[in-house]
Amino acid sequence: MSKDTELDMKDVELNELDPEKQPMTGDGQAAGGEKNGSVKLKVPEDEVTFTGLSKEELMKVAGTPGWVRTRWVLLILFWLGWVGMLAGAIVIIVQAPRCKPIPEMNWWNHGPLYQISDVEAFSPEKLEGIEAHLDALNKLKLKGLVLGPLHTVQANQSNTLDYTRIDPEHGTEKALRSVLEKAHKNGISVVLDLTPNYRGINSWFHAVDVNEVMEKVKAAAEHWLDFGVDGIKISDFTVASRAADWSKLQAVIQGNRTEGSKNKLLMGAVGGISAAEVSQLVNASGVDLLLSDLLSSKSGGEERIKAMDTLNSQQRSLGWGLGAAQNHQLSKQAGSFIHLYHLLLLTMPGTPVFTYGDEIGLKAEQGVSPPKMIWDKPNEGATPNKTE
């Protein structure tokens, strides 16, 4: 067989339909000689695309009555919806419950207070030494100093009480004025402790009418507020608040409050009472700041947390300290947890109150009371030296 014959035979085989592709009628090849499954498509030469309406056509349609009415309906619906939402917002605002007014914050609510109960223990130069060390104290971000008591009195002898005279053991009136001027320049307020019998056993003397002493306290408050101090402090506040003339002392403090001026502080210190009693005393007396010894009690952490919860709503009138209510250093009770108690006092809801030396963990030496403050460079206003 020649090569040409072989090629013709292959053409015949290729042109034959595969049995699987034969029409189901079994009549053989489809009519017209076309193979089963073949489709002829006629592709148009030019593809037609939609270009939309022209401007002229749109203008003709836009002016028809139907579209004019449609536009007006949509416009009216838009403004009705807008006015409805505005009215709804106004109704919500009017009917919403009012926010509680922002409570009044005074200077003693913005930072810690620092007590210097014994000026000679704080500095051998007494009041002049306090003035020299004010720059160092200012670095502690204090809002107020609580000084004294400074007045003249002999222990347990009420007839020797002289509120208007500073005991020479503490300094002079001129030195106190210098302390006030420099403290105010540094933004530090000064509170004077007017506890009557601070040298004796009972702060308000034994067998003495409290009202008689309170009358002297009221006169002293007027004197020292006029002098320039920013408030007064009284210890054993439960006794003072029961005096018949207590309201007169309160009126003296409040009478010095004028609009736009810095408020004067009426501060009390109490010990040995519960959180509920502290709350009642704050409400009944109207005291501005009450320092208690709740943290110094022997109760556990759970009881202290409950006390804070009980007094939370009165936090702007509460002072917190560990030993501060008794003018003791924090280290006396905190032990090796001084820094932890620093953090606790600075984060509690209320005003933290420290005693001099708390910033360095000052501890009293054996048989020495009150403890002497330790300075790096005495007489030069240097920063305190940390104790080991």
Side-chain angles (χ1 to χ4, degrees):
M1 184 180 293
S2 66
K3 295 182 177 180
D4 294 336
T5 305
E6 293 177 357
L7 291 174
D8 293 337
M9 293 299 294
K10 291 181 178 180
D11 292 336
V12 172
E13 293 174 359
L14 291 173
N15 289 330
E16 289 182 355
L17 290 175
D18 194 334
E20 296 179 358
K21 297 180 181 179
Q22 293 288 342
M24 295 181 66
T25 58
D27 296 332
Q29 192 171 354
E34 293 183 356
K35 298 180 180 179
N36 185 32
S38 298
V39 179
K40 291 184 178 181
L41 297 176
K42 185 177 181 180
V43 180
E45 295 180 357
D46 298 327
E47 185 177 354
V48 179
T49 58
F50 178 75
T51 59
L53 299 177
S54 65
K55 181 178 180 180
E56 290 76 11
E57 292 172 332
L58 286 173
M59 293 302 295
K60 290 179 181 179
V61 175
T64 58
W67 278 109
V68 172
R69 287 193 298 270
T70 301
R71 288 200 302 272
W72 275 107
V73 170
L74 293 175
L75 181 62
I76 293 172
L77 289 176
F78 168 79
W79 283 109
L80 287 176
W82 188 89
V83 172
M85 288 188 293
L86 178 61
I90 294 174
V91 170
I92 292 173
I93 293 173
V94 171
Q95 294 185 349
R98 295 290 182 270
C99 296
K100 292 182 179 180
I102 298 176
E104 181 184 4
M105 299 291 285
N106 294 289
W107 58 264
W108 56 85
N109 300 127
H110 293 284
L113 303 183
Y114 188 90
Q115 296 186 143
I116 304 178
S117 53
D118 193 306
V119 295
E120 188 176 6
F122 179 80
S123 173
E125 291 77 21
K126 306 169 186 177
L127 286 173
E128 293 181 355
I130 293 177
E131 179 191 359
H133 293 300
L134 272 174
D135 290 332
L137 296 179
N138 191 40
K139 296 178 181 179
L140 301 177
K141 307 300 181 183
L142 305 175
K143 291 301 178 182
L145 288 178
V146 182
L147 300 181
L150 304 176
H151 54 266
T152 300
V153 67
Q154 295 181 16
N156 305 316
Q157 298 184 31
S158 60
N159 60 327
T160 64
L161 179 62
D162 187 354
Y163 271 120
T164 61
R165 181 169 175 263
I166 296 178
D167 195 313
E169 292 184 7
H170 306 315
T172 63
E173 187 174 297
K174 180 181 178 181
L176 177 59
R177 189 176 297 278
S178 297
V179 170
L180 288 172
E181 292 175 356
K182 188 171 182 179
H184 290 163
K185 288 180 181 179
N186 288 325
I188 300 175
S189 301
V190 179
V191 177
L192 195 60
D193 193 330
L194 295 183
T195 301
N197 188 29
Y198 67 95
R199 298 182 188 273
I201 299 174
N202 186 294
S203 297
W204 293 86
F205 300 103
H206 286 289
V208 175
D209 186 0
V210 175
N211 291 316
E212 293 181 9
V213 182
M214 182 59 69
E215 181 63 30
K216 294 183 179 181
V217 173
K218 182 181 76 69
E222 293 176 336
H223 172 79
W224 291 114
L225 290 174
D226 291 339
F227 189 82
V229 300
D230 302 293
I232 65 168
K233 174 194 171 186
I234 298 175
S235 299
D236 285 345
F237 187 73
T238 49
V239 177
S241 62
R242 297 192 189 107
D245 290 339
W246 164 249
S247 59
K248 295 181 180 179
L249 174 61
Q250 191 176 8
V252 169
I253 306 299
Q254 294 177 345
N256 281 271
R257 296 177 178 176
T258 58
E259 186 176 354
S261 63
K262 182 169 66 174
N263 287 343
K264 305 297 184 180
L265 171 64
L266 177 56
M267 179 180 179
V270 293
I273 63 176
S274 66
E277 291 171 323
V278 169
S279 177
Q280 183 179 5
L281 187 58
V282 169
N283 291 328
S285 66
V287 66
D288 297 316
L289 189 68
L290 187 62
L291 173 64
S292 71
D293 65 343
L294 289 173
L295 293 182
S296 304
S297 63
K298 296 182 180 180
S299 59
E302 183 178 354
E303 287 75 12
R304 293 178 179 179
I305 293 174
K306 289 181 179 178
M308 286 188 285
D309 289 340
T310 301
L311 299 169
N312 183 63
S313 62
Q314 298 167 312
Q315 56 185 272
R316 290 179 300 280
S317 300
L318 295 178
W320 295 100
L322 191 67
Q326 299 85 11
N327 292 319
H328 293 161
Q329 275 65 33
L330 185 148
S331 62
K332 186 173 183 178
Q333 297 191 37
S336 59
F337 298 99
I338 292 177
H339 296 301
L340 181 61
Y341 276 100
H342 282 164
L343 179 62
L344 174 65
L345 291 173
L346 290 171
T347 53
M348 288 179 66
T351 300
V353 182
F354 298 97
T355 306
Y356 75 92
D358 284 351
E359 70 274 25
I360 61 172
L362 182 66
K363 298 179 180 180
E365 299 179 9
Q366 189 68 27
V368 177
S369 182
K372 303 292 183 180
M373 186 66 171
I374 301 173
W375 299 95
D376 288 335
K377 296 179 181 179
N379 306 324
E380 295 184 13
T383 55
N385 184 23
K386 293 184 178 180
T387 59
E388 297 297 333

